[in-house]
């Protein structure tokens, strides 16, 4: 569920995967894997959360992912 939220927020901010990955301090290929469902480390989750303005815990808790999606709608 979090991959859809990532893509939605990234696109709403008009950012590319490359831009998000640079801002989060990770490789673009790693970010792409995260958008495809790979769960990141806590540190990376926090960095992506800051960049996209989302709750970083969505990567680890499906209930949080559902709540984040509802709040952003």
């Amino acid at each position: 569920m979090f991959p859809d939220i990532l893509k939605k927020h990234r696109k709403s901010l008009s950012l590319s995967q490359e831009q998000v990955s640079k801002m989060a301090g990770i490789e673009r290929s790693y970010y792409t894997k995260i958008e495809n469902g790979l769960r990141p480390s806590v540190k990376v989750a926090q960095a992506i959360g800051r960049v996209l303005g989302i709750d970083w815990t969505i990567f680890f808790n499906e209930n949080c992912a559902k709540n984040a999606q509802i709040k952003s709608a």
Side-chain angles (χ1 to χ4, degrees):
M1 183 135 206
F2 71 82
D4 295 331
I5 295 168
L6 289 182
K7 290 174 192 173
K8 180 180 175 182
H9 281 276
R10 177 176 59 79
K11 289 179 180 181
S12 74
L13 296 170
S14 299
L15 295 172
S16 68
Q17 289 182 339
E18 181 72 26
Q19 290 170 311
V20 173
S21 64
K22 283 184 180 181
M23 293 167 74
I26 60 174
E27 295 289 324
R28 187 208 46 82
S29 60
Y30 183 34
Y31 180 77
T32 300
K33 290 177 185 176
I34 294 168
E35 266 200 10
N36 287 320
L38 178 73
R39 295 202 191 273
S41 68
V42 169
K43 181 179 177 182
V44 170
Q46 290 171 334
I48 292 171
R50 280 190 297 275
V51 170
L52 297 179
I54 59 175
D55 182 357
W56 64 272
T57 62
I58 66 165
F59 295 100
F60 308 105
N61 182 333
E62 288 303 315
N63 289 331
C64 286
K66 289 176 187 172
N67 290 338
Q69 190 173 28
I70 291 168
K71 288 179 185 174
S72 67

